[in-house]
Amino acid sequence: MQPHESISAAIEAAKAEGRTGLVPFFTAGYPEPAEFLNTLRAIAEVGDVVEIGVPFSDPMADGMTIQRSSFVAIQKGVTLKWIFDQLESIKGEIKIPIVFMSYLNPLLAFGFEALAQRALDTGVCGFIVPDLPFEESGEIRHALEQKGIGLIQLVTPATPAERLKLLARESRGFLYAVTITGITGGDSGLPADLAGYLDSVSEVSTLPVCAGFGIRSAEDIVNVGKHAAGAIVGSALVEVLEQGADPAIFLRQLR
Amino acid sequence: MKSILEANEAAALRKALINGELPDERGRFGPFGGRYVPETLVPAFERLEEGVKKHLHSPEFQAEFQQELREWVGRPTALSRAPRLSERWGTEVWLKREDLAHTGAHKINNAIGQALLAKRLGAERVIAETGAGQHGVASAAACARVGLPCSVYMGVVDIERQAPNVDRMHRLGAEVLPVETGDKTLRAAINEAMREWVSDPAGIYYLLGSAVGAHPYPYLVRELQSVIGTEARQQMLDLAGSLPDVAFACVGGGSNAIGLFYALLADDVELIGVEAGGTGDGLGQNAATLATGTAGVLQGCYSLILQNDDGQVQETHSISAGLDYSGVGPEHALLQAVGRVTYVTASDDEALEALEELCETEGILTALETAHAYAAAKRWSQEHPGKRILICNSGRGDKDMPTLTKYAARTRTHAAA
């Protein structure tokens, strides 16, 4: 199985168990770099796929929570290389697929070929790059595909039908359906027409669809789960980590 | 993604630039430019690009735009001789007076053009970012003129040092939204405006103030600002009898510079862009992106940026809020790469001295941003006596009074002498 196929398989496995796939997101090294691996282990006990945020100085698609966690992580010395080194130190220990969420510039600075190789070596199966539209993604996609690493595409309620088909076809691992027209960490609730939107996305996608942005509670996950294979929980989990609470307890009550 | 050009490639791109063939249809100036935006904004950028293609060079839009430039902005702006400064420098200095444009800087050319476009595209409201406040004031005025509500994002550091402009924006009916995140200056303000745009991509028009960002902004802003160079070129021929030997403009994002340079690219005129040298050469001490930056993606385009080895964008320092930015327009990155424009720096102190010298000799209080261009021009003229120099006097300095007052103790000694 290619690394990106293991992402799809993990979400499909949850579905086969009658569950909504749970994809927790957290910013690497937040609030404390020393706690990174313990946090990852705890999250991996509950999640089906784990999404690790690579901090960036200019997170323009993110709300206050992830902005704050990114700035603190950078100040405390978290870099892409550091994250890879940490993962390498526990190689084989995390049993669920790992996905990185990173803005393009840190990946560009690392170098795409080196990135794909290190991802393969450390068990990273896919990348989500929120400021990289498909049209600009040729080079990195090519480098990742050589190693079987997936570039996960995002679609949003603003995405026209034809483009939705294109992005669904080109995505790897899963298709990321952004639930709202807005940035991460919204607390205004999920939109009323969410079901229709997620159904239309699921209809065109052969990959499992995971919904993200603004998903905070067990109730949200039940609602999303009726129309999508998986749910991504980001800002709400980062807030739990910020408060020093146990991420596994929080995530278990979402399942 | 590469940023170093082979010699034959550079020659071809230089020719394409001079012939006005760039950006290409993907928004590229050679390797630079492009469109790196969140998926939510992709349809909005496509609509904007279509709108620009349809309207920008249409006779109807141009007639309306030119009329507004004439009757409301007050164009053409003057080209002034600078006899006393010329005498001091031992050169012949000419000033393109963008400070005389309505609201006091070149920013208004772009703001009224984009506001007219926003109206045609059916926008419900306009958002803008501002550093020095000049683009914020220009956007507020232009939106009032066309009848659209306007919100301006401004870093709290800039709100403090450009206080007079904050009050002006309020009076012109705009809402000023303080940005407390990130570096609390222009870069943070752009990020915050982008976040707001993501929340309503169909209803909002984002009136970006410099020749930066994702395609089509660098192109759109250049086209709207190129009136500076088009006018200046003709005025030099009419008043001075020939083109200048050299032209100077300050560069933050680079809109007044591209506006001046674009009409002169094909001429035998040396072009020099002047960045903020701040307090020194170290990362974080200046905003000298072209001089010291490396290639990367920031706020929608691939250009040169000030970043560390991990790809984290670094904070900048400049005494002038308008130059205090970690990125630069992609067309400038290419103009430097192909050797058509030279980019140099001037320090905070040099800018302050130049500002004072212009006040004394020509009775013009120029903006701190613009003062950087004078500082570099002065240095150049010492090495090239007797030459003819054109400087883009991009804005007036009233907005800088809080900063100038703070530095007064140091500069007063000269005035008293």
Side-chain angles (χ1 to χ4, degrees):
Chain A
M1 204 187 312
Q2 299 258 32
H4 71 85
E5 290 169 331
S6 67
I7 304 170
S8 319
I11 306 289
E12 298 292 358
K15 207 168 141 193
E17 286 174 27
R19 291 188 296 109
T20 303
L22 184 61
V23 184
F25 164 94
F26 73 113
T27 305
Y30 183 74
E32 281 303 327
E35 284 303 308
F36 172 59
L37 291 177
N38 285 335
T39 304
L40 176 60
R41 288 184 185 105
I43 288 170
E45 287 294 310
V46 193
D48 295 295
V49 172
V50 60
E51 192 187 322
I52 297 175
V54 177
F56 181 50
S57 52
D58 293 76
M60 69 167 151
D62 284 301
M64 282 311 299
T65 301
I66 294 175
Q67 285 181 49
R68 194 164 58 235
S69 65
S70 294
F71 292 133
V72 170
I74 291 168
Q75 273 167 4
K76 292 187 176 176
V78 174
T79 64
L80 180 55
K81 181 180 177 302
W82 179 87
I83 302 169
F84 277 134
D85 289 346
Q86 292 284 300
L87 291 180
E88 195 155 284
S89 74
I90 58 160
K91 201 181 166 188
E93 204 184 304
I94 302 299
K95 301 299 182 197
I96 65 172
I98 297 169
V99 166
F100 275 7
M101 197 293 288
S102 175
Y103 287 83
L104 183 59
N105 203 52
L107 308 181
L108 194 54
F110 199 86
F112 295 157
E113 302 295 327
L115 180 77
Q117 186 61 51
R118 281 235 71 190
L120 186 67
D121 294 345
T122 54
V124 176
C125 304
F127 284 82
I128 299 165
V129 187
D131 60 344
L132 183 67
F134 177 73
E135 289 76 3
E136 301 282 6
S137 69
E139 277 186 49
I140 188 171
R141 204 153 27 90
H142 179 74
L144 294 176
E145 266 172 11
Q146 299 290 309
K147 308 288 180 194
I149 316 287
L151 183 61
I152 294 163
Q153 301 294 328
L154 295 97
V155 298
T156 82
T159 307
E162 278 307 303
R163 186 172 175 81
L164 174 59
K165 278 185 207 157
L166 165 81
L167 297 172
R169 189 172 66 236
E170 297 294 343
S171 195
R172 299 289 180 272
F174 61 80
L175 181 61
Y176 194 135
V178 175
T179 56
I180 54 168
T181 304
I183 55 176
T184 61
D187 52 7
S188 52
L190 294 168
D193 53 352
L194 183 66
Y197 160 67
L198 289 178
D199 285 344
S200 68
V201 175
S202 296
E203 205 170 285
V204 300
S205 181
T206 52
L207 289 173
V209 171
C210 292
F213 284 41
I215 296 173
R216 307 185 64 87
S217 65
E219 189 194 345
D220 288 342
I221 291 186
V222 168
N223 286 336
V224 160
K226 290 175 194 156
H227 310 278
I232 301 156
V233 179
S235 297
L237 174 59
V238 172
E239 284 159 25
V240 166
L241 294 170
E242 206 158 55
Q243 289 150 14
D246 185 337
I249 293 173
F250 170 73
L251 292 172
R252 275 203 190 88
Q253 52 95 19
L254 296 182
R255 268 184 71 157
Chain B
M1 290 162 74
K2 61 172 193 173
S3 57
I4 311 294
L5 303 171
E6 304 287 339
N8 57 344
E9 204 179 2
L13 284 168
R14 185 181 165 123
K15 203 173 152 209
L17 263 172
I18 289 169
N19 291 342
E21 292 162 11
L22 300 180
D24 64 20
E25 69 273 20
R26 291 186 56 228
R28 294 275 170 180
F29 298 88
F32 303 109
R35 182 184 293 160
Y36 299 88
V37 297
E39 185 59 36
T40 305
L41 290 180
V42 169
F45 270 91
E46 286 174 352
R47 279 195 301 275
L48 176 62
E49 189 181 354
E50 284 308 305
V52 168
K53 270 187 199 153
K54 185 176 167 198
H55 297 296
L56 187 62
H57 293 292
S58 73
E60 299 79 25
F61 179 87
Q62 278 298 321
E64 191 180 15
F65 178 49
Q66 297 302 333
Q67 179 175 314
E68 286 300 81
L69 288 182
R70 247 185 351 262
E71 296 178 7
W72 184 70
V73 175
R75 303 205 72 92
T77 57
L79 180 75
S80 302
R81 284 161 235 270
R84 297 190 65 224
L85 193 66
S86 297
E87 196 185 333
R88 233 191 233 192
W89 289 4
T91 47
E92 183 188 322
V93 184
W94 294 80
L95 312 178
K96 179 57 177 165
R97 299 291 304 281
E98 292 302 295
D99 58 313
L100 297 178
H102 179 45
T103 66
H106 71 289
K107 293 291 185 188
I108 196 72
N109 304 326
N110 171 52
I112 188 64
Q114 286 200 54
L116 292 171
L117 184 63
K119 195 83 181 167
R120 281 175 189 256
L121 297 180
E124 290 157 21
R125 65 190 185 97
V126 169
I127 60 171
E129 83 298 334
T130 197
Q134 287 303 114
H135 175 59
V137 168
S139 297
C143 287
R145 177 75 173 172
V146 305
L148 279 170
C150 177
S151 307
V152 181
Y153 290 86
M154 188 171 190
V156 291
V157 169
D158 292 337
I159 285 180
E160 190 193 331
R161 61 180 163 174
Q162 310 278 223
N165 272 344
V166 177
D167 197 29
R168 287 171 77 199
M169 284 182 263
H170 284 140
R171 281 173 197 284
L172 289 163
E175 172 189 34
V176 180
L177 299 158
V179 177
E180 304 264 4
T181 55
D183 64 0
K184 300 180 178 64
T185 64
L186 181 58
R187 179 159 58 98
I190 294 177
N191 285 332
E192 212 49 43
M194 294 289 284
R195 291 183 187 113
E196 178 63 16
W197 195 12
V198 169
S199 75
D200 183 14
I204 290 176
Y205 183 94
Y206 180 20
L207 208 175
L208 186 60
S210 193
V212 299
H215 181 63
Y217 283 110
Y219 164 73
L220 173 60
V221 175
R222 179 194 78 195
E223 292 295 295
L224 295 170
Q225 291 293 4
S226 62
V227 63
I228 302 172
T230 306
E231 282 178 9
R233 190 178 185 284
Q234 190 58 51
Q235 288 167 320
M236 285 300 298
L237 292 173
D238 293 346
L239 301 178
S242 82
L243 293 178
D245 296 303
V246 61
F248 287 88
C250 64
V251 178
S255 72
N256 90 84
I258 201 70
L260 179 69
F261 294 164
Y262 191 62
L264 299 169
L265 287 179
D267 295 312
D268 183 21
V269 176
E270 190 175 349
L271 303 174
I272 301 180
V274 188
E275 296 189 292
T279 56
D281 293 336
L283 198 57
Q285 292 181 317
N286 57 62
T289 314
L290 289 154
T292 65
T294 49
V297 169
L298 172 66
Q299 293 177 331
C301 79
Y302 182 60
S303 185
L304 295 181
I305 61 180
L306 292 167
Q307 59 183 331
N308 67 16
D309 293 343
D310 299 310
Q312 303 297 346
V313 182
Q314 297 301 290
E315 294 193 6
T316 50
H317 165 78
S318 170
I319 192 168
S320 69
L323 303 186
D324 209 350
Y325 181 58
S326 320
V328 69
E331 192 161 8
H332 287 294
L334 184 62
L335 284 165
Q336 174 171 264
V338 302
R340 178 61 188 97
V341 180
T342 308
Y343 296 87
V344 300
T345 64
S347 70
D348 286 355
D349 287 346
E350 287 177 304
L352 282 165
E353 267 175 43
L355 180 142
E356 193 184 348
E357 186 172 36
L358 185 67
C359 277
E360 273 178 33
T361 54
E362 301 295 340
I364 297 171
L365 173 58
T366 199
L368 272 170
E369 290 76 12
T370 316
H372 288 73
Y374 284 92
K378 181 176 186 172
R379 248 187 284 145
W380 190 91
S381 61
Q382 283 161 357
E383 291 155 25
H384 304 84
K387 296 285 186 182
R388 181 170 282 171
I389 296 180
L390 171 65
I391 300 172
C392 185
N393 194 62
S394 57
R396 69 187 189 206
D398 312 47
K399 68 182 178 64
D400 293 314
M401 286 316 297
T403 304
L404 295 175
T405 305
K406 204 167 119 189
Y407 284 87
R410 222 166 60 193
T411 53
R412 196 57 54 81
T413 48
H414 187 92

